[in-house]
Amino acid sequence: MSTQRTQRTGRGRRPRSAAVTGIGVIAPNGMRPDAFWKAVSEGVVVLDRISREGCGDLPLRVAGEVRAFDAGALIEDRFLVQTDRFSHFAMAAAALALDEAGLGSGDPADPFGVGVVTAAGSGGGEFGQRELQKLWGQGPKFVGPYQSIAWFYAASTGQISIRGGFKGPCGVVASDEAGGLDALAHAARDVRRGTGTMLVGAAEAPLAPYSMVCQLGYPELSTVEEPERAYRPFTSAACGFVPAEGGALLVVEDEERARQRGVPVRATLAGHAATFTGASRWADSRAGLARAIEGALDEAGCAPEEIDVVFADAMGVPEADRAEALAIADALGAHGTRVPVTAPKTGIGRAHCAAPVLDTVAAVLAMEHGQVPPTPNVSDICHDLDLVTSRARPAELRTALVLSRGLMGSNAALVVRRGGESARQDRAGKEQTA
């Protein structure tokens, strides 16, 4: 892509740019972008003891819950009965994103020009557990017909497309927690290939008892009982991560088309790359993550020193944190120890595939507000990083780097550029000097 930036296509047009025009958030700390940003920028911590029924005796005690979510007020009954909580989050976030992008007025003018891509890691555990309990306790005649689809990783993509009447390219990414960034890249490439609009993101609901028992197999999971101590990456007290539910959906469309529609371009998805280094092989993730960063920078045509802020993966495991800090230094050189780094997820938990999508939303909002949000509950940093703690830091932010790694070994990096006139002028100037 770096060479394409200075070339015209065969039809005399520059390559299409994937622009973010709508954001929908359903997160433990806020259910709209403004509420989410206020909490993130102020370093609000919502981690608390898990209150979900049936979870009181499990070793996992702390998580980020979406406590004020009323699915019945946001989603029609016909969808509620056939979907799990993770799809409820996704459908609600999708509706918010479409409204913000000016596309929520009803049937799409071109249904084949709108596609949907989501990422999922845990699927519909709550729905599946309920139906399997009926099977075990009452017999097969009591199992509902939607058991066959509600638990499935692709359920959110399917239900969003059905609900909205979208018939464009649809898919689901199942590539570990880093799949949230991979889904964004998937959507951006669909836009560059000609699709008008993509709804993309991830939502997770991993706090049902069955889902939590499955997660207890991960040694990286924190079982510390005190919320303020349970998730402290990049410190000597790092003891793993705590999970979270919720997520975010974005509307991504061709930048030129968005400007013709008269809607603001909030950001552009400029570059992405992914690698694989193996489950829990955190020392090896140093090379894999560094390679992903280099690939994302190359696709974006971005020099290391152009990165103004890094949203870290922040696993919270000492070996993994060390590997990430070294990967940033390996890929960004001397700039890697100077660039502000943040991990706002320490205030809300790590929502698996949705975590890097929420980080991408935070990156877009940070660039809009000119602030690097803090990393809550974290101090006494033991790695060579300029980690922003305590309070937000004012900064001129044009380009952000979002990082993610999965428990099964995936690594991904995404370069996001600020939207608006100034960002377009920045890119035009670089193209003239290239």
Side-chain angles (χ1 to χ4, degrees):
M1 181 176 173
S2 56
T3 57
Q4 290 178 341
R5 290 169 60 247
T6 59
Q7 298 174 355
R8 293 188 178 273
T9 66
R11 296 184 179 182
R13 297 182 60 189
R14 294 189 182 277
R16 293 158 62 96
S17 177
V20 176
T21 58
I23 297 173
V25 175
I26 303 292
N29 62 348
M31 287 191 286
R32 289 183 181 274
D34 53 351
F36 174 74
W37 173 249
K38 185 177 188 299
V40 165
S41 63
E42 294 176 358
V44 174
V45 178
V46 296
L47 298 181
D48 205 345
R49 299 293 292 266
I50 296 170
S51 65
R52 301 293 296 279
E53 183 179 355
C55 300
D57 295 329
L58 296 175
L60 176 61
R61 299 300 177 86
V62 176
E65 292 186 55
V66 181
R67 296 180 183 269
F69 182 72
D70 181 2
L74 300 170
I75 300 164
E76 303 88 331
D77 288 344
R78 67 188 181 96
F79 290 106
L80 285 177
V81 299
Q82 56 185 287
T83 49
D84 179 80
R85 186 174 173 87
F86 90 109
S87 292
H88 300 165
F89 290 148
M91 286 189 283
L96 292 172
L98 288 166
D99 284 343
E100 186 178 84
L103 296 171
S105 58
D107 293 336
D110 177 17
F112 293 98
V114 184
V116 183
V117 176
T118 65
S122 59
E126 183 175 65
F127 194 109
Q129 177 177 342
R130 182 175 66 245
E131 297 303 311
L132 288 175
Q133 285 176 330
K134 291 179 183 178
L135 175 64
W136 179 259
Q138 298 173 274
K141 292 183 179 180
F142 292 88
V143 177
Y146 300 116
Q147 164 67 359
S148 61
I149 60 171
W151 68 271
F152 191 45
Y153 300 100
S156 295
T157 290
Q159 298 291 2
I160 291 170
S161 62
I162 292 169
R163 188 187 191 203
F166 306 136
K167 301 180 180 180
C170 292
V172 61
V173 177
S175 60
D176 217 351
E177 283 88 339
L181 294 187
D182 295 345
L184 293 173
H186 193 303
R189 288 169 189 146
D190 278 337
V191 167
R192 292 175 190 136
R193 291 167 182 161
T195 302
T197 304
M198 294 294 296
L199 260 172
V200 56
E204 302 273 23
L207 302 183
Y210 167 76
S211 299
M212 289 173 58
V213 169
C214 292
Q215 291 173 84
L216 287 168
Y218 297 130
E220 294 85 0
L221 194 73
S222 172
T223 55
V224 172
E225 297 189 14
E226 296 82 8
E228 66 276 7
R229 294 179 51 245
Y231 186 21
R232 301 185 61 198
F234 302 116
T235 73
S236 58
C239 54
F241 73 91
V242 299
E245 61 181 0
L249 270 288
L250 310 180
V251 172
V252 177
E253 59 185 302
D254 174 46
E255 183 175 7
E256 182 178 339
R257 176 181 181 274
R259 298 193 187 283
Q260 290 172 352
R261 292 200 305 115
V263 297
V265 172
R266 306 195 67 167
T268 57
L269 306 181
H272 165 271
T275 61
F276 179 79
T277 47
S280 297
R281 296 172 59 178
W282 297 118
D284 293 339
S285 75
R286 170 184 178 177
L289 186 59
R291 183 61 179 266
I293 295 170
E294 292 164 356
L297 294 176
D298 182 63
E299 185 176 64
C302 178
E305 58 271 17
E306 292 180 69
I307 297 298
D308 299 311
V309 60
V310 176
F311 283 75
D313 174 62
M315 181 66 69
V317 174
E319 188 179 27
D321 293 344
R322 180 176 184 274
E324 182 172 20
L326 293 172
I328 292 171
D330 292 344
L332 301 185
H335 185 60
T337 60
R338 299 190 299 263
V339 63
V341 178
T342 184
K345 61 170 67 76
T346 61
I348 64 174
R350 186 182 176 92
H352 297 293
C353 283
V357 183
L358 288 168
D359 278 347
T360 301
V361 170
V364 172
L365 297 171
M367 290 188 288
E368 289 180 348
H369 289 84
Q371 288 186 317
V372 180
T375 307
N377 280 339
V378 171
S379 57
D380 64 300
I381 312 306
C382 62
H383 299 279
D384 193 9
L385 291 173
D386 182 15
L387 193 71
V388 178
T389 61
S390 301
R391 61 180 59 87
R393 181 187 301 177
E396 180 71 16
L397 305 176
R398 297 182 181 86
T399 307
L401 176 65
V402 183
L403 306 180
S404 184
R405 290 171 299 177
L407 296 170
M408 294 296 102
S410 296
N411 314 286
L414 179 73
V415 175
V416 185
R417 293 194 187 277
R418 188 176 68 193
E421 184 65 30
S422 58
R424 189 162 69 254
Q425 291 173 347
D426 289 344
R427 291 196 299 275
K430 291 171 186 174
E431 289 178 351
Q432 290 175 1
T433 59

